[in-house]
């Protein structure tokens, strides 16, 4: 029993300490420590109860209770939306949970419900950069381009990973393009290329923007650079469109 107790606290101490972590509960942190708990629990039953029949009944009850608990948790984990709703029920001020629930709703096309969750995330953490990006994305999908630009520009002022920064600039350029603000769109895509010169998406977006603006030579140049980085069918398709448009008398800038 002593071994089991020490095992629990020693293995738990590897990841847990007096320093707070941002997660309320993380089940996987207890996988290894729980071995010690179960050893101590089983031996405690054996130590304190001498009647064999009673021991069997107690052990069976423990196994049954744990089996029911595992089944109930699996019904939550089988669906990401259920999982984040469960997190919110247990931690109603958890900004990450609201954001992730919003992402699940966004992926299902339930944009109004997604916006509601993203706004709750901002009430819990007003500086949550990813939430501003997600709001910009959803408003873009809804055709609310001015709102999209506002949220995406706000996202640019926060702490950014390379991937998030790239995603914001690409979506910002697409929102500007949808609003007819060609130069702003071009500048956003150029900035995306500058921060991630090996990502082909901003090259493609910039090439498409040049095609829309009738700048076919520039479109051809940027799309050929993209193809040299990674040859993708959609890049070839847009490159063909640029060549065809130029051949049929399109103007250039």
């Amino acid at each position: 029993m002593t071994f089991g107790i020490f095992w629990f606290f020693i293995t738990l101490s590897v990841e847990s300490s007096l320093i707070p972590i941002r997660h309320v509960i993380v089940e996987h942190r207890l996988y290894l420590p729980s071995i010690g708990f179960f050893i101590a629990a089983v031996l405690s039953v054996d130590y304190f109860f001498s009647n064999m029949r009673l021991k069997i009944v107690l052990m069976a009850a423990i196994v049954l209770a744990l089996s029911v608990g595992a089944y109930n948790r699996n019904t939550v984990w089988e669906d990401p939306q259920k999982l984040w709703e469960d997190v919110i029920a247990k931690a109603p001020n958890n900004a990450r949970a609201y954001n992730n629930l919003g992402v699940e709703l966004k992926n299902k096309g339930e944009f109004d419900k997604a916006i509601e969750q993203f706004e709750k995330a901002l009430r819990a953490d007003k500086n949550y950069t990813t939430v501003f990006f997600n709001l910009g994305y959803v408003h873009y999908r809804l055709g609310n381009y001015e709102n999209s630009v506002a949220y995406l520009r706000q996202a640019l002022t926060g702490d950014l990973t390379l991937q998030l920064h790239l995603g914001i600039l690409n979506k910002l350029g697409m929102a500007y393009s949808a609003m007819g603000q060609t130069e702003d769109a071009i500048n956003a895509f150029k900035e995306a290329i500058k921060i991630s010169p090996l990502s082909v998406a901003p090259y493609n977006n910039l090439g498409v923007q040049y095609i829309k603006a009738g700048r076919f030579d520039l479109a051809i140049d940027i799309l050929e650079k993209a193809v040299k980085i990674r040859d993708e069918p959609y890049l070839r398709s847009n490159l063909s469109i640029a060549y065809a448009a130029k051949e049929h008398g399109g103007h250039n800038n």
Side-chain angles (χ1 to χ4, degrees), residues 61-173:
I62 291 171
V63 170
L64 178 62
L66 292 174
S67 298
V68 171
Y71 177 83
N72 288 335
R73 288 306 296 165
N74 283 339
T75 61
V76 173
W77 278 86
E78 71 180 356
D79 180 358
Q81 182 174 335
K82 286 183 182 179
L83 175 62
W84 292 114
E85 288 173 344
D86 182 67
V87 173
I88 290 169
K90 294 178 171 64
N93 292 319
N94 191 310
R96 183 187 177 202
Y98 287 115
N99 176 67
N100 289 356
L101 177 56
V103 170
E104 292 303 319
L105 293 168
K106 178 194 74 174
N107 292 340
K108 293 178 180 179
E110 300 179 31
F111 297 131
D112 290 336
K113 292 181 180 179
I115 289 173
E116 182 181 346
Q117 297 305 317
F118 293 140
E119 289 176 346
K120 288 180 180 179
L122 286 181
R123 286 198 287 272
D125 182 357
K126 63 181 180 180
N127 297 315
Y128 201 155
T129 304
T130 304
V131 177
F132 287 112
F133 169 69
N134 287 329
L135 279 166
Y137 177 92
V138 170
H139 279 287
Y140 174 83
R141 291 293 302 274
L142 289 171
N144 303 327
Y145 301 122
E146 290 185 4
N147 287 343
S148 177
V149 167
Y151 281 118
L152 292 168
R153 288 177 66 86
Q154 180 64 35
L156 285 174
T157 66
D159 295 328
L160 301 172
T161 63
L162 176 61
Q163 196 62 33
L164 180 57
H165 196 177
L166 182 62
I168 293 169
L169 289 171
N170 273 321
K171 191 56 65 179
L172 184 60

